[in-house]
Amino acid sequence: MLAPGLNTDFNALLYLGEHLASRGYGVAALNFPDTSANRVSATIQGLAAIPPPNAWFNQPLDVSLLIDQVASRWPKQIDTSRVGALGQSLGGYTVLALGGARLDWAHLERSCAVINDPAEVEINPAILWQCQAPGNVVKRSDFSDPRIKVVIAVNPVSTPTFTKASMQAMKAPVMIVSGTKDIFAPPISQQLIPYSSLSNNDSLLAVFDNATHLSFLAATGKLPVWLIGLIGPDQQQAQSDLKALSLAFFDQKLLGQGTMGALLPSQDALFRVGQPLQFLLKRELPPAQLKAIDP
């Protein structure tokens, strides 16, 4: 299952779907009705109503419905009892929720109350997006789907909707992919802190130096001119790396095979050195190490 982010569509992740399908996976993707590129464009042009505040919180339900559709149409061809889900940005939030992370509405409301204080200045776009209307939400905390057995969250939006307890409730192993130059979902608050809270030892953190919120997306040629400069260096390499990591992680967690175990056999870290996209693969991120990164 592929879950795109805000103001994109499944074409942004199509290269991943094609790669996984070429290796034998059944792949399905969708456009979310309230956050897709078409909906955002239509809203700006006055051709569609402004979506309800926080409608995106229900996106996991759309993915579960898509799994239902795949199960009913191709029951013999595709095993929908063991599903992997990959999402980017708001799609990253979506797959984390599907994998078992529980939404903490009380924490969200408290955090947003502080942000809305005129004396406070908040410049984190991911937090501002989550705090559009914290009191106007469907107070459902559990969107998990037992068919989701493994999750890959790329540049996910997560905090303050998810807390330490939220992440500890994750049932599925997760790989979180982060870019150090991501200004839309800053890595420390949105990826590193949530990852450090995981209690699942089967998970993996991939941090790409100099990667941005757009590095792992295809079809960025249609972006506004002011966003083109935020794509980051060597987008082709970033996408190639994500294809390889996603296939290896899904193979290991869904099929019990693949190269991930040999690539990272213990709790050690793996570094790739070299410009412009160095990266770090790591299983554990203890609080002491996180504190050293963000004192």
Side-chain angles (χ1 to χ4, degrees), residues 47-295:
L47 302 176
I50 298 174
N54 300 329
W56 59 277
F57 282 120
N58 287 313
Q59 288 184 177
L61 299 178
D62 295 326
V63 177
S64 290
L65 286 174
L66 179 59
I67 298 174
D68 293 342
Q69 287 294 313
V70 172
S72 65
R73 296 187 185 192
W74 299 283
K76 296 181 180 179
Q77 294 90 340
I78 299 178
D79 179 8
T80 54
S81 67
R82 295 184 57 78
V83 177
L86 184 151
Q88 191 268 345
S89 190
L90 286 181
Y93 147 78
T94 302
V95 299
L96 289 174
L98 285 163
R102 298 176 68 88
L103 284 67
D104 190 330
W105 297 117
H107 181 262
L108 177 67
E109 290 188 40
R110 291 194 302 271
S111 300
C112 295
V114 173
I115 291 170
N116 290 329
D117 184 338
E120 297 290 329
V121 177
E122 178 57 64
I123 59 173
N124 186 327
I127 293 177
L128 293 174
W129 175 263
Q130 293 171 80
C131 289
Q132 292 179 82
N136 185 16
V137 292
V138 177
K139 299 292 183 74
R140 175 173 174 169
S141 62
D142 186 1
F143 288 93
S144 62
D145 189 318
R147 297 169 293 187
I148 300 292
K149 303 301 183 184
V150 56
V151 164
I152 299 176
V154 183
N155 315 119
V157 170
S158 61
T159 305
T161 302
F162 296 137
T163 59
K164 180 176 182 178
S166 302
M167 299 302 293
Q168 289 176 339
M170 284 283 299
K171 302 177 181 70
V174 57
M175 177 167 69
I176 290 182
V177 180
S178 181
T180 62
K181 300 298 185 183
D182 187 343
I183 63 172
F184 295 106
I188 292 177
S189 69
Q190 301 302 306
Q191 292 110 45
L192 301 191
I193 290 176
Y195 186 86
S196 70
S197 301
L198 289 170
S199 56
N200 192 326
N201 292 327
D202 273 344
S203 294
L204 186 66
L205 175 67
V207 181
F208 284 77
D209 190 28
N210 292 319
T212 74
H213 201 69
L214 307 178
S215 292
F216 303 102
L217 300 181
T220 51
K222 298 180 181 180
L223 289 173
V225 174
W226 67 274
L227 279 177
I228 297 297
L230 301 178
I231 291 176
D234 211 339
Q235 190 181 37
Q236 184 176 359
Q237 182 63 58
Q239 294 173 12
S240 178
D241 288 339
L242 185 58
K243 287 195 295 185
L245 288 173
S246 300
L247 179 64
F249 199 65
F250 282 145
D251 279 353
Q252 183 185 50
K253 304 307 180 185
L254 292 174
L255 306 178
Q257 62 187 44
T259 60
M260 188 62 76
L263 187 65
L264 200 64
S266 67
Q267 301 305 314
D268 296 334
L270 173 69
F271 296 89
R272 184 184 69 190
V273 179
Q275 297 296 333
L277 285 176
Q278 303 179 98
F279 72 72
L280 163 71
L281 292 180
K282 194 169 180 60
R283 294 194 186 279
E284 293 185 347
L285 184 61
Q289 291 186 7
L290 183 60
K291 188 174 181 180
I293 297 171
D294 184 35

